[in-house]
Amino acid sequence: MSQMQNVERQLREMILGLEIGPGERLTERWIESRFGASRTPVRAALLRLETEGLIGRDGRGWTVAPINLAELGQIAVYREAVEVAAVRLTAALEDRSGIDVIAAMLDSCGAETPREEWHRVGLDFHIELARLSGNEFLLRAVRDAMTRLSRARWLEVRDEEALGRAWAEHHAILAAVRSGDAEQAARLLSAHIAGSRDRLVASLHDDRRGLRARGFAVVAA
């Protein structure tokens, strides 16, 4: 792995895991010191993270992108378009046995499972369901959308009731796909995405003061 790839991977993990908070300033000098990297690969890594919407330029430095409530709504529209298209393709497959692997992944989460694992599995559910469609473009679109949602979803996994609801909806979607009912799968997935968006935006909006007290930048537009 090159210096650039190493810096990019570790910075991305720190940003998505909220180790570096939304709105926090970054300097190339700090990154060089933290990862023992030279200036050129650090700048290349920052440019790649900028294209993902995770950071932005701030004068001569960089700032981690805030959590944008309006963007969450836009991502939900995008997700519905691409994820529903993917799930229709998957439900039409003759061999839908890949669904069992995703179901087992969901079932691996229990009361003793760390929140980090719940978070990862919740993201992977959508990505792996899109992967089964066999359409590489839809897979990339879903992966990109889920990456952009990752930080906000970290905050959502604190709510056990919301997690339980999401897992029940995931299993219902899988049941519809397993039976080959594309229309039902599409309806359930659309409702799941809309409900998740509404709960997430409402939670973040209500908790904006608390999040700001923790140094997290949350903006409405």
Side-chain angles (χ1 to χ4, degrees):
M1 182 181 294
S2 69
Q3 265 197 351
M4 184 276 289
Q5 291 171 323
N6 183 53
V7 172
E8 178 192 357
R9 179 183 62 80
Q10 292 192 68
L11 271 180
R12 182 185 293 107
E13 290 177 354
M14 293 174 74
I15 292 170
L16 295 181
L18 297 177
E19 187 176 344
I20 304 176
E24 190 168 335
R25 287 179 57 83
L26 297 171
T27 66
E28 293 179 14
R29 187 181 299 273
W30 177 83
I31 297 169
E32 291 167 14
S33 175
R34 173 66 184 258
F35 301 111
S38 55
R39 180 169 298 179
T40 298
V42 165
R43 286 184 174 176
L46 289 168
L47 289 171
R48 289 174 68 93
L49 293 173
E50 183 183 30
T51 65
E52 295 180 20
L54 294 178
I55 63 173
R57 296 176 187 272
D58 184 9
R60 293 187 177 183
W62 301 81
T63 301
V64 177
I67 293 177
N68 188 315
L69 300 183
E71 183 181 85
L72 295 180
Q74 294 170 6
I75 292 174
V77 174
Y78 178 60
R79 285 183 61 199
E80 183 172 5
V82 295
E83 290 194 51
V84 167
V87 83
R88 287 182 182 278
L89 291 175
T90 301
L93 294 174
E94 289 188 14
D95 180 6
R96 297 185 292 276
S97 59
I99 290 297
D100 296 333
V101 176
I102 301 177
M105 183 175 68
L106 293 177
D107 291 339
S108 70
C109 292
E112 302 303 317
T113 304
R115 281 291 179 261
E116 292 85 351
E117 185 66 7
W118 282 91
H119 177 261
R120 184 190 66 78
V121 171
L123 294 175
D124 284 350
F125 167 82
H126 294 274
I127 294 169
E128 295 307 315
L129 190 57
R131 190 189 306 277
L132 290 181
S133 73
N135 188 302
E136 184 66 24
F137 292 96
L138 291 175
L139 171 60
R140 291 177 188 172
V142 173
R143 185 188 291 122
D144 175 66
M146 299 312 294
T147 295
R148 290 175 180 271
L149 278 176
S150 182
R151 295 179 303 161
R153 287 173 64 93
W154 256 115
L155 301 173
E156 186 183 32
V157 297
R158 298 174 301 173
D159 186 339
E160 292 190 11
E161 183 180 346
L163 275 179
R165 183 186 302 113
W167 250 241
E169 292 172 359
H170 288 166
H171 278 294
I173 292 165
L174 292 183
V177 175
R178 186 182 286 110
S179 69
D181 191 340
E183 291 303 318
Q184 176 69 351
R187 282 194 296 271
L188 290 171
L189 183 54
S190 292
H192 171 67
I193 292 171
S196 177
R197 173 204 60 207
D198 293 344
R199 291 190 298 270
L200 186 56
V201 170
S203 174
L204 290 171
H205 186 274
D206 292 343
D207 198 26
R208 282 171 70 182
R209 182 173 297 177
L211 292 171
R212 285 172 177 167
R214 295 165 59 190
F216 292 170
V218 179
V219 298

